């Protein structure tokens, strides 16, 4: 099956290290000169590492299968220590830190297994992550500082007081984690007054308006019908990213009708009113969506 989300995913890389310490120089010489009875240690261990990177999800319960695009195994000898570095790449929605560390550990264990008949003092000293790129943290600082946001909650059970506003509070916390100040918050009926509030907020210092709720298919769910005519520029790619992310987690995401676009220099987002839907929508597009504001002067 072809994963259609991969083309829009980020290239993620991770590099891990393991150290094998041997007991004598003779062991190092045997490895370098390919005199170990069990075979070529470097090549055998490298092959084991390649398998390990691709099969991490078979061994680690919380790791999901993912497409490994590249695995590189490098060695460096310093004295009686053999430094192993494993670099793993993927184009996918999650990183490959565990895959790299798993591969490095299997390379080290393979070397241990091949060398123990000729050296009883072998140790595996260290397995650690050296670095990673391509994760969300790489983009966290890639936007203008001092952004301000407003949150409009349109979910009928919340507006009528039947339920507490879990989605709005969740949105507020996620914005806070990104150092975005929420300066406006309001419960809002889905009618023309919603348009009036949006217009008023657009004319203020708010850079980002997030509207939660009323994105479903029923006659009462009118958010797209009210908000889209107001947009000066629609941003369908954001809507597609939200839907694709959600459908990887629940088939019901296809029912929700998110909204994304610009009014002047203000970004307008309409997302699900459920706490789970709101959380997944925020995770799908933040912080990368904030790159929009690099196009405007501060």
């Amino acid at each position: 099956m072809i994963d259609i989300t991969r083309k829009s995913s980020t290239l993620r890389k991770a590099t891990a290290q393991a150290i094998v310490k041997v007991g004598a120089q003779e062991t190092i010489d045997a490895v370098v000169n390919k005199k170990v009875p069990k075979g070529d240690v470097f090549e055998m261990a490298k092959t084991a590492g390649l398998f390990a990177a691709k099969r991490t999800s078979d061994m680690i319960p919380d790791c999901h299968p993912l497409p490994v695009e590249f695995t590189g195994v490098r060695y460096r000898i310093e004295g009686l220590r053999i430094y192993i570095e494993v670099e793993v790449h993927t184009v996918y929605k999650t990183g490959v830190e565990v895959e790299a560390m798993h591969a490095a550990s299997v390379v080290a264990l393979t070397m241990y297994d091949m060398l123990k008949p000729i050296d009883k003092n072998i140790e595996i000293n260290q397995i650690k992550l050296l670095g990673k790129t391509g994760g969300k943290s790489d983009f966290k600082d890639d936007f203008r500082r001092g952004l301000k946001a407003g949150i409009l909650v349109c979910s009928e059970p919340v507006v009528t007081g039947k339920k507490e506003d879990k989605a709005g509070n969740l949105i507020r916390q996620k914005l806070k984690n990104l150092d975005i100040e929420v300066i406006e918050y309001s419960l809002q009926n889905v009618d023309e007054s919603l348009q009036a509030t949006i217009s008023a907020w657009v004319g203020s210092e708010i850079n980002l308006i997030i509207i939660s709720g009323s994105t479903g298919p029923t006659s009462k769910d009118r958010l797209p019908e009210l908000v889209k005519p107001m947009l000066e520029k629609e941003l369908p790619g954001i809507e597609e990213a939200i839907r694709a992310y959600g459908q990887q987690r629940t088939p019901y995401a296809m029912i929700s009708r998110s909204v994304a676009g610009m009014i002047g220099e203000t970004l307008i987002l309409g997302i699900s009113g459920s706490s789970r839907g709101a959380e997944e929508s925020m995770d799908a597009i933040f912080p990368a969506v904030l790159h929009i504001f690099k196009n405007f002067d501060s």
Side-chain angles (χ1 to χ4, degrees), residues 261-282:
M262 305 295 298
I263 303 177
E265 296 184 3
T266 303
L267 175 61
I268 313 295
L269 298 174
I271 63 177
S272 171
S274 73
S275 56
R276 178 178 175 181
E279 180 176 26
E280 291 179 354
S281 297
M282 295 291 288

Side-chain angles (χ1 to χ4, degrees), residues 218-231:
T218 73
S219 59
K220 296 184 292 185
D221 295 318
R222 300 179 56 218
L223 183 67
E225 286 74 20
L226 286 170
V227 174
K228 284 200 172 187
M230 300 180 67
L231 300 178

Side-chain angles (χ1 to χ4, degrees), residues 6 20 24 68 83 136 166 207 211 214 274 277 285 297-298:
R6 288 175 56 189
V20 173
V68 173
Y83 288 81
K136 287 189 176 182
K166 294 181 179 179
N207 310 102
I211 311 163
S214 196
S274 73
I285 60 176
D297 295 331
S298 59

Side-chain angles (χ1 to χ4, degrees), residues 82-191:
I82 302 173
Y83 288 81
I84 303 159
E85 285 190 8
V86 177
E87 181 177 339
V88 180
H89 299 181
T90 187
V91 179
Y92 203 56
K93 61 182 181 290
T94 61
V96 282
E97 301 98 307
V98 176
E99 283 75 10
M101 294 177 72
H102 180 231
S105 68
V106 170
V107 171
L109 285 168
T110 302
M111 296 180 72
Y112 181 96
D113 178 65
M114 296 184 72
L115 295 175
K116 62 183 173 60
I118 65 172
D119 191 333
K120 302 302 181 184
N121 296 307
I122 301 173
E123 300 175 0
I124 297 175
N125 290 155
Q126 185 184 76
I127 300 170
K128 69 177 183 179
L129 182 69
L130 294 180
K132 62 175 184 175
T133 61
K136 287 189 176 182
S137 59
D138 289 348
F139 302 96
K140 186 173 182 179
D141 296 325
D142 193 27
F143 57 85
R144 201 174 83 205
R145 294 297 175 181
L147 295 174
K148 301 183 185 300
I151 301 172
L152 284 168
V153 177
C154 299
S155 178
E156 184 183 28
V158 175
V159 174
T160 57
K162 297 177 182 177
K163 290 185 178 180
E164 65 175 303
D165 181 25
K166 294 181 179 179
N169 290 328
L170 186 150
I171 293 168
R172 181 190 295 271
Q173 184 59 50
K174 286 188 175 290
L175 292 175
K176 181 180 178 181
N177 293 342
L178 292 165
D179 297 324
I180 298 174
E181 182 183 2
V182 176
I183 63 172
E184 294 285 359
Y185 169 86
S186 177
L187 304 182
Q188 184 72 57
N189 290 318
V190 188
D191 53 28

Side-chain angles (χ1 to χ4, degrees), residues 3-39:
D3 183 354
I4 61 173
T5 67
R6 288 175 56 189
K7 291 184 179 180
S8 60
S9 298
T10 302
L11 174 64
R12 304 179 191 270
K13 305 179 184 179
T15 304
Q17 175 183 274
I19 301 173
V20 173
K21 182 178 179 295
V22 303
Q25 182 61 41
E26 288 77 10
T27 304
I28 296 292
D29 295 340
V31 172
V32 172
N33 297 319
K34 302 180 181 180
K35 299 296 185 181
V36 176
K38 285 192 173 184

Side-chain angles (χ1 to χ4, degrees), residues 12 40-41 65 72 231 250 262 289:
R12 304 179 191 270
D40 188 329
V41 174
L231 300 178
T250 171
M262 305 295 298
V289 72

